[in-house]
Amino acid sequence: MTRGRERFVIHLPVLAGDLTGAVRLARVVARWASILPYTDPGEATVSYEDEQGVHHRVFCDTRLPGGQRCLLRAGHDGPCTRRLLR
């Protein structure tokens, strides 16, 4: 890997009481972080503290035309979209 093109990932542990709560919190934090340059909220995952090698996706990982990601949760029903359902 060339020195000028290296990329680094920041791991910021945040504790939640259960997987569902962790996924919800990760979605909120990832969406907020999307205002910052160089963030990729679509790659957000959560893991159990004792199983950090097993990641659970927060968002759908499907890329849409134009290269943007679907904004819906992982495993959502229906078609992918760039609009949040309300």
Side-chain angles (χ1 to χ4, degrees):
M1 186 178 287
T2 61
R3 283 285 181 205
R5 303 299 288 170
E6 287 183 325
R7 291 173 32 140
F8 297 88
V9 176
I10 297 170
H11 302 274
L12 176 64
V14 178
L15 300 179
D18 57 34
L19 181 58
T20 301
V23 169
R24 284 183 186 143
L25 180 58
R27 289 172 61 82
V28 169
V29 171
R31 284 194 179 125
W32 175 84
S34 69
I35 66 169
L36 302 171
Y38 308 113
T39 60
D40 188 359
E43 287 293 328
T45 60
V46 299
S47 65
Y48 288 97
E49 185 174 20
D50 294 337
E51 296 177 16
Q52 293 185 28
V54 179
H55 295 250
H56 300 270
R57 292 197 70 79
V58 173
F59 295 100
C60 175
D61 65 349
T62 300
R63 291 233 183 230
L64 300 174
Q68 295 180 313
R69 295 181 189 275
C70 173
L71 290 178
L72 302 178
R73 72 185 185 287
H76 67 84
D77 293 329
C80 291
T81 184
R82 287 291 302 160
R83 290 186 176 223
L84 295 177
L85 303 176
R86 299 279 176 204

Coordinates of all heavy atoms in Angstrom, one line a residue:
M1 N 0.8 -1.2 0.0 CA 0.0 0.0 0.0 C 0.9 1.2 0.0 O 1.8 1.3 0.8 CB -0.9 0.0 1.2 CG -1.9 1.1 1.3 SD -3.0 1.0 2.7 CE -4.0 -0.4 2.3
T2 N 0.6 2.2 -0.8 CA 1.4 3.4 -0.9 C 1.0 4.3 0.3 O -0.1 4.4 0.7 CB 1.2 4.2 -2.2 OG1 -0.2 4.5 -2.3 CG2 1.6 3.3 -3.4
R3 N 2.0 5.0 0.8 CA 1.8 5.9 2.0 C 0.7 7.0 1.7 O 0.0 7.3 2.6 CB 3.1 6.5 2.4 CG 4.0 5.5 3.2 CD 3.4 5.4 4.5 NE 4.3 4.5 5.3 CZ 3.8 3.7 6.3 NH1 2.6 3.8 6.7 NH2 4.6 3.0 6.9
G4 N 0.7 7.5 0.6 CA -0.2 8.6 0.3 C -1.7 8.2 0.2 O -2.6 9.0 0.3
R5 N -1.9 6.9 0.0 CA -3.3 6.4 -0.2 C -3.8 5.6 1.0 O -4.8 4.9 0.9 CB -3.4 5.6 -1.5 CG -2.9 6.4 -2.7 CD -3.7 7.6 -3.0 NE -5.0 7.2 -3.5 CZ -6.0 8.0 -3.7 NH1 -5.9 9.2 -3.4 NH2 -7.2 7.5 -4.1
E6 N -3.1 5.5 2.1 CA -3.6 4.7 3.2 C -4.9 5.3 3.8 O -5.1 6.5 3.7 CB -2.5 4.7 4.3 CG -1.3 3.9 4.0 CD -0.4 3.9 5.2 OE1 -0.2 4.9 5.9 OE2 0.3 2.8 5.4
R7 N -5.7 4.4 4.3 CA -6.9 4.8 4.9 C -7.0 4.2 6.3 O -6.5 3.1 6.5 CB -8.1 4.3 4.1 CG -8.3 5.0 2.8 CD -9.4 4.5 1.9 NE -10.5 3.9 2.7 CZ -11.8 4.0 2.3 NH1 -12.1 4.7 1.2 NH2 -12.7 3.5 3.0
F8 N -7.6 4.9 7.2 CA -7.7 4.4 8.6 C -9.1 4.5 9.0 O -9.9 5.3 8.6 CB -6.8 5.3 9.6 CG -5.4 5.2 9.2 CD1 -4.8 6.1 8.3 CD2 -4.6 4.3 9.8 CE1 -3.4 6.0 8.0 CE2 -3.2 4.2 9.5 CZ -2.7 5.0 8.6
V9 N -9.5 3.5 9.9 CA -10.9 3.4 10.4 C -10.8 3.8 11.9 O -10.0 3.3 12.6 CB -11.4 2.0 10.2 CG1 -12.8 1.9 10.8 CG2 -11.5 1.7 8.7
I10 N -11.7 4.6 12.3 CA -11.8 5.0 13.8 C -12.9 4.1 14.4 O -14.0 4.0 13.9 CB -12.2 6.4 13.9 CG1 -11.1 7.3 13.3 CG2 -12.5 6.8 15.4 CD1 -11.5 8.8 13.2
H11 N -12.5 3.4 15.5 CA -13.4 2.6 16.2 C -13.8 3.3 17.5 O -12.9 3.6 18.3 CB -12.8 1.2 16.6 CG -12.3 0.5 15.4 ND1 -13.1 -0.3 14.7 CD2 -11.1 0.5 14.8 CE1 -12.5 -0.8 13.7 NE2 -11.2 -0.4 13.7
L12 N -15.1 3.6 17.7 CA -15.6 4.4 18.8 C -16.6 3.5 19.6 O -17.7 3.5 19.2 CB -16.2 5.7 18.3 CG -16.8 6.6 19.4 CD1 -15.8 7.1 20.3 CD2 -17.6 7.7 18.7
P13 N -16.1 2.8 20.6 CA -17.0 2.0 21.3 C -18.1 2.8 22.0 O -17.9 3.8 22.7 CB -16.2 1.3 22.4 CG -14.8 1.4 21.9 CD -14.8 2.7 21.1
V14 N -19.4 2.4 21.9 CA -20.5 2.9 22.5 C -21.3 1.7 23.0 O -21.6 0.8 22.3 CB -21.4 3.8 21.6 CG1 -22.6 4.3 22.3 CG2 -20.6 4.9 21.0
L15 N -21.6 1.7 24.3 CA -22.3 0.5 24.9 C -23.8 0.7 24.8 O -24.4 1.8 25.1 CB -21.9 0.3 26.3 CG -20.4 0.0 26.5 CD1 -20.1 -0.1 28.0 CD2 -19.9 -1.2 25.7
A16 N -24.5 -0.4 24.5 CA -26.0 -0.5 24.5 C -26.4 -1.7 25.2 O -25.6 -2.7 25.3 CB -26.5 -0.4 23.1
G17 N -27.6 -1.8 25.7 CA -28.1 -2.9 26.5 C -28.4 -4.1 25.7 O -28.4 -5.3 26.2
D18 N -28.7 -4.0 24.4 CA -29.1 -5.1 23.6 C -28.8 -4.8 22.1 O -28.5 -3.7 21.8 CB -30.6 -5.5 23.8 CG -31.5 -4.4 23.5 OD1 -31.3 -3.5 22.6 OD2 -32.6 -4.3 24.2
L19 N -28.9 -5.8 21.3 CA -28.5 -5.6 19.8 C -29.5 -4.7 19.2 O -29.0 -3.8 18.4 CB -28.5 -7.0 19.1 CG -28.2 -7.0 17.6 CD1 -26.8 -6.4 17.4 CD2 -28.3 -8.4 17.0
T20 N -30.8 -4.7 19.4 CA -31.7 -3.8 18.8 C -31.4 -2.4 19.2 O -31.4 -1.5 18.3 CB -33.2 -4.2 19.2 OG1 -33.4 -5.5 18.8 CG2 -34.2 -3.2 18.6
G21 N -31.1 -2.1 20.5 CA -30.8 -0.8 20.9 C -29.5 -0.3 20.3 O -29.3 0.9 19.9
A22 N -28.5 -1.2 20.2 CA -27.2 -0.9 19.6 C -27.4 -0.5 18.1 O -26.8 0.5 17.6 CB -26.2 -2.0 19.7
V23 N -28.2 -1.2 17.4 CA -28.5 -0.9 16.0 C -29.2 0.4 15.8 O -28.8 1.3 15.0 CB -29.3 -2.0 15.3 CG1 -29.8 -1.6 13.9 CG2 -28.4 -3.3 15.2
R24 N -30.2 0.7 16.7 CA -30.9 2.0 16.6 C -29.9 3.1 16.9 O -29.9 4.1 16.2 CB -32.0 2.0 17.6 CG -33.2 1.2 17.2 CD -34.3 1.4 18.2 NE -35.4 0.5 17.9 CZ -36.1 -0.2 18.8 NH1 -35.9 0.0 20.1 NH2 -37.1 -1.0 18.3
L25 N -29.1 3.0 17.9 CA -28.2 4.1 18.3 C -27.1 4.2 17.1 O -26.8 5.4 16.8 CB -27.5 3.7 19.6 CG -26.4 4.8 20.1 CD1 -27.1 6.1 20.2 CD2 -25.8 4.3 21.4
A26 N -26.7 3.2 16.6 CA -25.7 3.2 15.5 C -26.3 4.0 14.3 O -25.6 4.8 13.6 CB -25.2 1.8 15.1
R27 N -27.6 3.7 14.0 CA -28.2 4.4 12.9 C -28.2 5.9 13.1 O -27.9 6.7 12.2 CB -29.6 3.9 12.6 CG -29.6 2.5 12.0 CD -31.0 1.9 12.0 NE -31.9 2.7 11.2 CZ -32.0 2.6 9.8 NH1 -31.2 1.8 9.2 NH2 -32.9 3.3 9.2
V28 N -28.6 6.3 14.3 CA -28.6 7.8 14.7 C -27.3 8.4 14.6 O -27.1 9.4 13.9 CB -29.2 8.0 16.1 CG1 -29.1 9.4 16.5 CG2 -30.7 7.6 16.1
V29 N -26.3 7.7 15.2 CA -24.9 8.3 15.2 C -24.4 8.3 13.7 O -23.8 9.3 13.3 CB -24.0 7.4 16.1 CG1 -22.5 7.8 15.9 CG2 -24.4 7.6 17.5
A30 N -24.6 7.3 12.9 CA -24.1 7.3 11.5 C -24.8 8.3 10.7 O -24.1 9.0 9.9 CB -24.4 5.9 10.9
R31 N -26.1 8.6 10.9 CA -26.7 9.6 10.1 C -26.2 11.0 10.5 O -26.0 11.9 9.7 CB -28.2 9.5 10.3 CG -28.8 8.4 9.5 CD -30.3 8.6 9.4 NE -30.9 7.5 8.6 CZ -31.8 6.7 9.0 NH1 -32.4 6.8 10.2 NH2 -32.3 5.7 8.2
W32 N -26.0 11.2 11.8 CA -25.4 12.5 12.3 C -24.0 12.6 11.7 O -23.7 13.7 11.2 CB -25.4 12.5 13.8 CG -24.7 13.7 14.3 CD1 -25.3 15.0 14.4 CD2 -23.3 13.9 14.6 NE1 -24.3 15.9 14.8 CE2 -23.1 15.2 14.9 CE3 -22.2 13.0 14.6 CZ2 -21.9 15.7 15.3 CZ3 -21.0 13.5 14.9 CH2 -20.8 14.8 15.3
A33 N -23.2 11.6 11.7 CA -21.8 11.7 11.2 C -21.8 11.9 9.7 O -20.7 12.4 9.2 CB -21.1 10.5 11.6
S34 N -22.8 11.7 9.0 CA -22.8 11.9 7.5 C -22.6 13.3 7.1 O -22.2 13.6 6.0 CB -24.1 11.3 6.9 OG -25.2 12.1 7.2
I35 N -22.8 14.3 8.0 CA -22.5 15.7 7.7 C -21.0 15.9 7.7 O -20.6 16.9 7.2 CB -23.2 16.6 8.7 CG1 -22.6 16.5 10.1 CG2 -24.7 16.4 8.7 CD1 -23.0 17.6 11.0
L36 N -20.2 15.0 8.2 CA -18.7 15.2 8.3 C -18.1 14.6 7.0 O -18.5 13.6 6.5 CB -18.2 14.5 9.5 CG -18.7 15.0 10.8 CD1 -18.2 14.0 11.9 CD2 -18.3 16.4 11.1
P37 N -17.1 15.3 6.5 CA -16.5 14.7 5.3 C -15.7 13.4 5.6 O -15.3 13.2 6.7 CB -15.5 15.8 4.9 CG -15.2 16.6 6.1 CD -16.5 16.5 6.9
Y38 N -15.6 12.6 4.6 CA -14.9 11.3 4.7 C -15.6 10.3 5.6 O -14.9 9.3 5.9 CB -13.5 11.5 5.2 CG -12.7 12.6 4.4 CD1 -12.4 13.8 5.0 CD2 -12.4 12.4 3.1 CE1 -11.7 14.8 4.3 CE2 -11.8 13.4 2.4 CZ -11.4 14.6 3.0 OH -10.8 15.5 2.2
T39 N -16.8 10.5 6.0 CA -17.5 9.4 6.7 C -18.3 8.5 5.7 O -18.7 9.0 4.7 CB -18.5 10.0 7.8 OG1 -19.4 10.8 7.2 CG2 -17.7 10.7 8.9
D40 N -18.5 7.3 6.1 CA -19.3 6.4 5.3 C -20.3 5.7 6.2 O -20.1 4.5 6.6 CB -18.4 5.4 4.6 CG -19.1 4.5 3.6 OD1 -20.3 4.7 3.4 OD2 -18.5 3.7 2.9
P41 N -21.4 6.4 6.5 CA -22.4 5.8 7.4 C -22.9 4.5 7.0 O -23.3 3.7 7.8 CB -23.4 6.9 7.5 CG -23.0 8.0 6.8 CD -21.7 7.7 6.0
G42 N -22.9 4.3 5.7 CA -23.5 3.0 5.1 C -22.7 1.8 5.5 O -23.2 0.7 5.5
E43 N -21.5 2.0 6.0 CA -20.7 0.9 6.5 C -20.8 0.6 8.0 O -20.0 -0.2 8.5 CB -19.2 1.1 6.1 CG -18.9 1.0 4.6 CD -19.1 -0.5 4.1 OE1 -18.8 -1.4 4.9 OE2 -19.5 -0.7 3.0
A44 N -21.7 1.3 8.6 CA -21.8 1.2 10.1 C -22.2 -0.3 10.4 O -23.1 -0.8 9.8 CB -22.8 2.2 10.6
T45 N -21.6 -0.8 11.5 CA -21.9 -2.1 12.0 C -21.9 -2.1 13.5 O -21.3 -1.2 14.1 CB -20.9 -3.2 11.5 OG1 -19.6 -2.9 12.0 CG2 -20.9 -3.4 10.0
V46 N -22.5 -3.1 14.1 CA -22.4 -3.3 15.6 C -22.0 -4.7 15.8 O -22.2 -5.6 15.0 CB -23.8 -2.9 16.3 CG1 -24.2 -1.5 16.1 CG2 -24.9 -3.9 15.9
S47 N -21.4 -4.9 17.0 CA -21.0 -6.2 17.4 C -21.2 -6.4 18.9 O -21.3 -5.4 19.7 CB -19.5 -6.5 17.1 OG -18.7 -5.6 17.8
Y48 N -21.3 -7.6 19.3 CA -21.3 -7.9 20.8 C -19.9 -7.6 21.3 O -18.9 -7.8 20.6 CB -21.7 -9.4 21.0 CG -23.1 -9.7 20.8 CD1 -23.5 -10.2 19.6 CD2 -24.1 -9.4 21.7 CE1 -24.8 -10.5 19.3 CE2 -25.4 -9.7 21.5 CZ -25.8 -10.3 20.3 OH -27.1 -10.5 20.0
E49 N -19.8 -7.1 22.5 CA -18.6 -6.7 23.1 C -17.6 -7.9 23.1 O -16.4 -7.7 22.8 CB -18.8 -6.2 24.5 CG -17.5 -5.7 25.2 CD -17.8 -5.1 26.6 OE1 -18.8 -5.4 27.2 OE2 -16.9 -4.4 27.0
D50 N -18.0 -9.1 23.4 CA -17.2 -10.3 23.4 C -17.0 -11.0 22.1 O -16.3 -12.0 22.0 CB -17.7 -11.2 24.5 CG -17.6 -10.7 25.9 OD1 -16.8 -9.8 26.1 OD2 -18.3 -11.1 26.8
E51 N -17.7 -10.5 21.0 CA -17.6 -11.0 19.7 C -17.4 -9.9 18.7 O -18.1 -9.8 17.7 CB -18.9 -11.8 19.4 CG -19.1 -13.0 20.3 CD -20.4 -13.7 19.9 OE1 -21.0 -13.4 18.9 OE2 -20.9 -14.4 20.8
Q52 N -16.3 -9.2 18.9 CA -16.1 -8.0 18.0 C -15.7 -8.4 16.6 O -15.7 -7.5 15.7 CB -15.1 -7.1 18.7 CG -15.7 -6.5 19.9 CD -14.7 -5.4 20.6 OE1 -14.0 -4.8 19.9 NE2 -14.9 -5.3 21.9
G53 N -15.4 -9.6 16.3 CA -15.2 -10.0 15.0 C -16.4 -10.4 14.2 O -16.4 -10.6 13.0
V54 N -17.6 -10.4 14.8 CA -18.8 -10.7 14.2 C -19.6 -9.4 14.1 O -20.1 -8.8 15.1 CB -19.7 -11.7 15.0 CG1 -21.0 -12.0 14.3 CG2 -18.9 -13.0 15.1
H55 N -19.8 -8.8 12.9 CA -20.4 -7.5 12.7 C -21.8 -7.7 12.2 O -22.1 -8.5 11.3 CB -19.6 -6.7 11.7 CG -18.3 -6.3 12.3 ND1 -17.9 -5.0 12.6 CD2 -17.1 -7.1 12.5 CE1 -16.7 -5.0 13.0 NE2 -16.2 -6.2 13.0
H56 N -22.7 -6.9 12.7 CA -24.1 -6.8 12.3 C -24.3 -5.5 11.5 O -24.1 -4.4 12.1 CB -25.1 -6.9 13.4 CG -24.9 -8.2 14.2 ND1 -25.6 -9.4 13.9 CD2 -24.1 -8.5 15.2 CE1 -25.3 -10.3 14.8 NE2 -24.3 -9.8 15.6
R57 N -24.7 -5.6 10.3 CA -24.9 -4.4 9.5 C -26.0 -3.5 10.0 O -27.0 -4.1 10.5 CB -25.2 -4.7 8.0 CG -24.0 -5.3 7.3 CD -24.1 -5.3 5.8 NE -24.0 -4.0 5.3 CZ -22.9 -3.3 5.1 NH1 -21.8 -3.9 5.4 NH2 -22.9 -2.1 4.6
V58 N -25.9 -2.2 9.9 CA -26.9 -1.3 10.4 C -27.8 -0.9 9.2 O -29.0 -0.8 9.4 CB -26.2 -0.1 11.1 CG1 -27.3 1.0 11.4 CG2 -25.5 -0.5 12.3
F59 N -27.2 -0.6 8.1 CA -27.9 -0.2 6.9 C -27.8 -1.2 5.8 O -26.9 -2.0 5.8 CB -27.3 1.1 6.4 CG -27.5 2.3 7.3 CD1 -26.4 2.7 8.1 CD2 -28.7 3.0 7.4 CE1 -26.5 3.8 8.9 CE2 -28.8 4.1 8.2 CZ -27.7 4.5 9.0
C60 N -28.8 -1.2 4.9 CA -28.7 -2.0 3.7 C -27.4 -1.7 3.0 O -27.0 -0.5 2.9 CB -30.0 -1.7 2.8 SG -30.0 -2.5 1.3
D61 N -26.8 -2.7 2.4 CA -25.5 -2.4 1.7 C -25.6 -2.4 0.2 O -24.6 -2.3 -0.5 CB -24.4 -3.4 2.1 CG -24.8 -4.9 1.7 OD1 -25.9 -5.1 1.3 OD2 -23.9 -5.7 1.8
T62 N -26.9 -2.3 -0.3 CA -27.1 -2.2 -1.7 C -26.7 -0.8 -2.2 O -27.1 0.2 -1.7 CB -28.6 -2.5 -2.0 OG1 -28.9 -3.8 -1.6 CG2 -28.8 -2.4 -3.5
R63 N -25.9 -0.8 -3.3 CA -25.6 0.5 -4.0 C -26.6 0.7 -5.1 O -26.9 -0.2 -5.8 CB -24.2 0.4 -4.6 CG -23.1 0.3 -3.5 CD -22.1 1.4 -3.8 NE -21.0 1.3 -2.8 CZ -20.6 2.3 -2.1 NH1 -21.1 3.5 -2.3 NH2 -19.6 2.2 -1.2
L64 N -27.1 1.9 -5.1 CA -28.1 2.3 -6.1 C -27.4 3.0 -7.3 O -26.2 3.3 -7.2 CB -29.1 3.3 -5.5 CG -29.8 2.7 -4.2 CD1 -30.7 3.8 -3.6 CD2 -30.7 1.5 -4.7
P65 N -28.1 3.2 -8.4 CA -27.5 3.9 -9.5 C -26.9 5.2 -9.1 O -27.5 5.9 -8.3 CB -28.7 4.1 -10.5 CG -29.7 3.0 -10.1 CD -29.5 2.8 -8.7
G66 N -25.7 5.5 -9.5 CA -25.0 6.7 -9.1 C -24.1 6.4 -8.0 O -23.3 7.3 -7.5
G67 N -24.1 5.2 -7.5 CA -23.1 4.8 -6.4 C -23.5 5.1 -5.0 O -22.8 4.7 -4.1
Q68 N -24.7 5.7 -4.8 CA -25.1 6.0 -3.4 C -25.7 4.7 -2.8 O -26.2 3.8 -3.6 CB -26.1 7.1 -3.4 CG -25.5 8.4 -3.8 CD -26.5 9.6 -3.7 OE1 -27.6 9.4 -4.2 NE2 -26.1 10.7 -3.1
R69 N -25.7 4.6 -1.5 CA -26.3 3.5 -0.8 C -27.8 3.7 -0.5 O -28.2 4.8 -0.3 CB -25.6 3.2 0.5 CG -24.1 2.8 0.4 CD -23.6 2.6 1.7 NE -22.1 2.5 1.7 CZ -21.5 1.3 1.4 NH1 -22.2 0.2 1.2 NH2 -20.2 1.3 1.4
C70 N -28.5 2.6 -0.4 CA -29.8 2.5 0.1 C -29.8 3.1 1.6 O -28.9 2.8 2.3 CB -30.4 1.1 0.1 SG -32.0 0.9 0.9
L71 N -30.7 3.9 2.0 CA -30.8 4.5 3.3 C -31.6 3.7 4.3 O -31.7 4.0 5.5 CB -31.4 5.9 3.2 CG -30.5 6.9 2.6 CD1 -31.3 8.3 2.5 CD2 -29.2 7.1 3.3
L72 N -32.1 2.6 3.9 CA -33.0 1.8 4.8 C -32.2 0.8 5.7 O -31.0 0.6 5.4 CB -34.0 1.0 4.0 CG -34.9 1.9 3.1 CD1 -35.9 1.0 2.3 CD2 -35.7 2.9 4.0
R73 N -32.8 0.3 6.7 CA -32.1 -0.7 7.6 C -31.7 -2.0 6.9 O -32.3 -2.3 5.9 CB -33.0 -1.0 8.8 CG -34.2 -1.9 8.5 CD -35.1 -2.0 9.7 NE -36.1 -3.0 9.4 CZ -37.2 -2.8 8.6 NH1 -37.3 -1.6 8.0 NH2 -38.1 -3.7 8.4
A74 N -30.8 -2.6 7.4 CA -30.4 -3.9 6.8 C -31.5 -4.9 6.9 O -32.2 -4.9 7.9 CB -29.2 -4.5 7.6
G75 N -31.8 -5.7 5.9 CA -32.8 -6.6 5.9 C -34.2 -6.1 5.7 O -35.2 -6.7 6.0
H76 N -34.3 -4.8 5.2 CA -35.6 -4.2 5.0 C -36.5 -4.9 4.0 O -36.0 -5.6 3.2 CB -35.4 -2.7 4.6 CG -34.8 -2.5 3.3 ND1 -35.6 -2.5 2.1 CD2 -33.6 -2.3 2.9 CE1 -34.8 -2.3 1.1 NE2 -33.6 -2.2 1.5
D77 N -37.8 -4.7 4.1 CA -38.7 -5.2 3.1 C -38.9 -4.2 2.0 O -38.7 -3.0 2.2 CB -40.1 -5.4 3.8 CG -40.1 -6.5 4.8 OD1 -39.3 -7.5 4.6 OD2 -40.9 -6.5 5.8
G78 N -39.3 -4.6 0.8 CA -39.5 -3.7 -0.3 C -38.3 -3.2 -1.0 O -37.2 -3.7 -0.6
P79 N -38.5 -2.3 -2.0 CA -37.3 -1.9 -2.8 C -36.4 -0.9 -2.0 O -36.8 -0.2 -1.1 CB -38.0 -1.2 -3.9 CG -39.3 -0.7 -3.4 CD -39.7 -1.8 -2.4
C80 N -35.2 -0.9 -2.4 CA -34.2 0.0 -1.9 C -34.5 1.5 -2.3 O -35.1 1.7 -3.3 CB -32.8 -0.3 -2.3 SG -32.2 -1.9 -1.7
T81 N -34.1 2.4 -1.5 CA -34.4 3.8 -1.8 C -33.4 4.7 -1.1 O -32.7 4.4 -0.2 CB -35.8 4.2 -1.3 OG1 -36.1 5.5 -1.7 CG2 -35.9 4.1 0.2
R82 N -33.3 6.0 -1.6 CA -32.5 7.0 -1.0 C -33.4 7.9 -0.1 O -32.9 8.9 0.4 CB -31.9 7.9 -2.1 CG -30.8 7.2 -2.9 CD -29.5 7.0 -2.0 NE -29.0 8.3 -1.5 CZ -28.2 8.3 -0.4 NH1 -27.8 7.2 0.2 NH2 -27.8 9.5 0.0
R83 N -34.7 7.6 0.0 CA -35.6 8.4 0.8 C -35.9 7.6 2.0 O -36.3 6.5 2.0 CB -36.8 8.8 0.1 CG -36.6 9.8 -1.0 CD -37.9 10.2 -1.6 NE -37.6 11.2 -2.6 CZ -38.3 12.3 -2.7 NH1 -39.3 12.5 -2.0 NH2 -37.9 13.2 -3.6
L84 N -35.9 8.3 3.2 CA -36.3 7.6 4.4 C -37.8 7.5 4.5 O -38.5 8.5 4.2 CB -35.7 8.4 5.6 CG -34.2 8.4 5.8 CD1 -33.8 9.3 7.0 CD2 -33.7 7.0 5.9
L85 N -38.3 6.4 4.9 CA -39.7 6.2 5.1 C -40.2 6.9 6.4 O -39.5 6.7 7.4 CB -40.1 4.7 5.0 CG -39.6 4.0 3.8 CD1 -39.9 2.5 3.9 CD2 -40.3 4.6 2.6
R86 N -41.2 7.6 6.4 CA -41.7 8.2 7.6 C -43.0 7.6 8.0 O -43.8 7.2 7.3 CB -42.0 9.7 7.4 CG -40.7 10.4 7.1 CD -39.9 10.7 8.3 NE -38.6 11.3 7.9 CZ -37.6 11.3 8.6 NH1 -37.5 10.7 9.7 NH2 -36.5 11.9 8.2

